[in-house]
Amino acid sequence: SKGGASTFLAAVLLSSLAVVGIVSTYGIFNQTYDEPAHIAAGMQWLQYGTYLYEPLHPPLARVSVAVGPYLLGLRLHGERDMWQAGNDILYSQGRYFRNLAAARLGVIPFFLLAIWIVWTWTRRSHGSGAALAAVALFVSCPPVLANAGLATTDLPSAATIAAALLAFVFWLEGPTSRRGILLGVATSLAVLAKFSAIGFLPVCCAAIV
């Protein structure tokens, strides 16, 4: 409908403004403690096909934040400590903020996925107007914006867990093979983003049931 199209365009505009706001902080805020470690672990997977620095977190989010630096030609140089390795990447070529921005851009796709989940889930339950309001609240929430601007695992985990839960709702409403595959893929991505999904998903699914 015309009203649905206009609310969708408004949601796209809000999302775009949020992304611009997030990206604008890349050259203002320096790294957090764990960003270099995540970048180094992801770079190890991209560069060598190994994942030996640390098993605390799975590779999906880490690889995502390492893609940007990797495309810039930045590489590991045999460092044994992943924090040192990550810092070496960030300070490479004397382009600290450029390298940090390249890493942080890897979280933006997950931020957009989270917005799409908020829009889709709310629209299915309460209509386009409510979906627009939900998106507006989501993209103006300080913790969401803050984590979307960091090369860490938190926002990717939030987005993929939400995606898995929405896929679970789809499957409950109509348990077809296609929806079962969607649920399997979404759940796998959530676990690949952060192991805490293993604890969150069963509890949330039980609550939904």
Side-chain angles (χ1 to χ4, degrees):
S1 66
K2 189 174 181 179
S6 61
T7 53
F8 176 75
L9 289 175
V12 170
L13 176 61
L14 288 173
S15 303
S16 301
L17 291 173
V19 169
V20 170
I22 291 167
V23 172
S24 71
T25 68
Y26 290 169
I28 299 173
F29 299 117
N30 63 327
Q31 72 202 56
T32 59
Y33 173 75
D34 51 350
E35 283 180 283
H38 294 314
I39 295 166
M43 184 66 74
Q44 187 183 55
W45 190 90
L46 290 171
Q47 187 173 340
Y48 300 116
T50 59
Y51 195 71
L52 303 175
Y53 270 137
E54 181 199 65
L56 182 62
H57 298 290
L60 178 60
R62 287 175 157 182
V63 170
S64 182
V65 301
V67 167
Y70 184 84
L71 293 177
L72 290 176
L74 307 182
R75 297 293 186 270
L76 299 172
H77 299 286
E79 299 94 340
R80 294 186 177 182
D81 181 84
M82 66 178 180
W83 278 272
Q84 181 61 51
N87 280 317
D88 288 346
I89 289 172
L90 289 176
Y91 285 96
S92 291
Q93 304 172 2
R95 303 289 299 276
Y96 172 79
F97 279 111
R98 182 204 66 170
N99 301 338
L100 182 61
R104 288 174 170 176
L105 281 171
V107 175
I108 294 297
F110 295 99
F111 177 61
L112 295 176
L113 171 63
I115 294 172
W116 182 82
I117 296 296
V118 170
W119 167 268
T120 301
W121 205 335
T122 309
R123 185 172 180 270
R124 292 178 80 253
S125 301
H126 303 291
S128 297
L132 177 60
V135 168
L137 290 171
F138 183 76
V139 301
S140 60
C141 181
V144 171
L145 295 173
N147 282 285
L150 300 176
T152 59
T153 61
D154 298 309
L155 201 287
S157 177
T160 52
I161 287 175
L165 292 175
L166 181 57
F168 181 65
V169 170
F170 286 156
W171 183 82
L172 282 179
E173 293 175 349
T176 63
S177 298
R178 183 177 178 180
R179 291 186 175 187
I181 292 171
L182 176 64
L183 174 59
V185 170
T187 302
S188 298
L189 290 175
V191 175
L192 283 171
K194 200 166 188 176
F195 287 132
S196 54
I198 297 172
F200 281 117
L201 285 174
V203 176
C204 293
C205 288
I208 289 171
V209 170

